[in-house]
Amino acid sequence: MVSRVIPVEDFDLVIFGATGDLAHRKILPGLFRRFVAGQIPETSRIIGAARTEQDDEAFRAEAARAIVEFAGVKKNDPRLAQFVELLGYTAIDARGEGGWNELKGRMREGAVHAFYFSVAPALFGDIAERLAGHGIADAQSRIVVEKPFGRDLASARALNAMLAQHFDEHQIYRIDHYLGKETVQNLMAVRFANVLFEPLWNAQYVDHVQITVAETVGVAGRGSYYDKSGAIRDMVQNHMMQLLCLIAMEPPYHFDPDAVRDEKLKVIRALEPLEPGDIVRGQYQADGKEPGYLEAAENPDSRTESYVAMKVRISNWRWQGTPFYLRTGKKLRARTSEIAITFKEPPHSIFDDTGAPKANELVIRLQPNEGMNLKVMIKEPGPGGMRLVQVPLDMSFADALGAEGADMPDAYERLIMDVIRGNQTLFMRGDEVEAAWAWTDPIINAWEDSKRRPEPYDPGSSGPEEALRLMHRDNRRWREIRS
Ligand code: BG6
């Protein structure tokens, strides 16, 4: 398969927070890989901006170290030396005046200008104001903002309103890195580029949907952030909600930013409020070797959930009566993200001597081992009657696509290139983020008003027992968590 790398336009990208963790782990390595792939013009400039006083050379050395560590490239790789030539650095005081004129002097006329806010949300306003005030950003510039985008509806609205003072919606790229994952985009390809699935993709044929994002890591190292957030704010309001939307939405009329986002928004607006019995929260315990959640978060009284499972209903014609079960958690048995669509059983079995056919199931594995698995019924070979057996039609994208499939770009690579291309399809619109908070706010508030504690679960398990009951009472079972 021939790789189709289309170079983007010449650009100046400013990374605020360039000395931070996200820049080191994701943004700089992602840009490096796109450079190596030939997508970034050699005239482009990447300007680090942060509080640390340092010069271009020191930042280049810092970036090279990060890229060696996180992109798995050798220190003496000649492409690394070429890439860091694109980098420059300006020390910036986000809340003062230092550095802004210098930054303005670095921006080239005629290039696409993008500003990546890889900083705490509390600084978004200061940076936006100074970019506009110093005439550094104009009506053609783009800004990229990271999650968390607010911590409730009120704060998300305030953030949107503040950004709107300086930028139009078409200039604002709100990142949800799940949308940049190759297999997440594949959800749209599977649904809307095949005729096989879509006619069955509704409550008449789908019994239920399970969306699982399981992680093996705990919260150690970021406990103070996580403890104020919890799984609902950290994962459900954004990543899980996006997955749910892509599975449940109507076909957009075109693969166009607003057409796609309009359809996602309709799904979020059709979510029914959760009933108290439809949600289970969990907190992982210590396991003798590693601390439990409470120690990791350094908050012995914390009621913050490191696991959540919920039964979600979508009130519209397509999905009335088909529940979507969502679960996500830290310190679980395996790292895996998948979506499983369980179809209904055939309405009538003609094979009366060998048991009823089992329901078909389509599993889309998002990570790791990206691929698809469709369970179908066939006849067991041999004489002795019509014995039925369910077998998987299993496809690994890596195997199916050869070398290109094995080399899945990281979500950030794709998303940053989309910013330069000016394509907002895989970014969240302001109204989408607000609608997602409008649905999660009452869930969070009801918990804060209650005196309940999360259910304990063992690290390396599948989550709390209580979550199993959420399914059992509907005569259903969670799929096993395994990678
Ligand atoms: C982040 C969350 O947005 O997504 C983290 O803040 C989580 O808590 C991470 O670990 C998961 O992302 P991925 O790409 O590893 O599935």
Side-chain angles (χ1 to χ4, degrees), residues 245-260:
C245 284
L246 295 177
I247 289 295
M249 72 186 189
E250 296 299 318
Y253 73 91
H254 192 245
F255 191 56
D256 151 284
D258 278 327
V260 171

Side-chain angles (χ1 to χ4, degrees), residues 345 349 351 354-358 377 388:
E345 284 169 8
S349 175
F351 307 107
T354 50
K358 289 191 192 145
M377 300 301 297
L388 298 178

